[in-house]
Amino acid sequence: MNPYWTIVQQRAAEYSLAHARPDAPLTAGLPVLAAHAADFSPLQTLHIAQFCLSVIVFEDCPAYLRTPAGIPDLDRLVPIGADALTVLTTAEDQRALFGRGLDEELRNVEDQVAGVARARSVVQKVLQQVPHGLKGRERMVNIIADLEGDPRAIAGVIGLTAAALREVARQQGPQPAAFWQ
């Protein structure tokens, strides 16, 4: 495996563990993303999201939250009405990644709504590529690369991934105390 993807895999494990508790805040994994953004770029934090979606969410999503084709259905995992709250909740803490605060996000609500809609589409497309193996992984990288220059969509993917991880954890129920040690 390419050394970069080994780093992504390790950070995805750390990020998903931060969101494994059903009561974890949506911002629980941001230090992992901040480290990745500092080492590489904010866009490349989406590789961590891609890994979490394709390995954790795809594998652990219960059947009733999937489409008839067996793909996790983002609309069931993270209802559309939750998008604005999901992203604005994480926006303040993402300022370290993108250099903006909640006040700026609130002034640009229309741009944020468009970014979240784009993010939702990207997350669902990534999930749809999982069954296609290596070719699907290659397409995932291209799907994510299309978000370059759109920090609101990047923030949206991060927020939606965190919410999906949290929902999958909630569906699995509480873990024994030894799991967290």
Side-chain angles (χ1 to χ4, degrees), residues 132-150:
H132 301 288
L134 181 58
K135 289 287 184 197
R137 287 191 296 276
E138 291 171 2
R139 287 190 290 262
M140 286 180 210
V141 171
N142 292 332
I143 291 166
I144 285 173
D146 286 343
L147 295 181
E148 187 165 10
D150 189 347

Side-chain angles (χ1 to χ4, degrees), residues 11-21 29 32 48 52 56 165 180:
R11 287 184 171 158
E14 293 169 15
Y15 186 75
S16 63
L17 185 60
H19 292 283
R21 294 179 192 229
V32 175
I48 293 170
C52 289
I56 309 297
L165 285 168
W180 304 108

Side-chain angles (χ1 to χ4, degrees), residues 43-66:
L43 178 67
Q44 288 175 291
T45 61
L46 296 185
H47 294 149
I48 293 170
Q50 169 192 335
F51 207 90
C52 289
L53 290 167
S54 62
V55 176
I56 309 297
V57 174
F58 192 91
E59 296 298 324
D60 296 342
C61 184
Y64 71 93
L65 294 175
R66 293 177 181 266

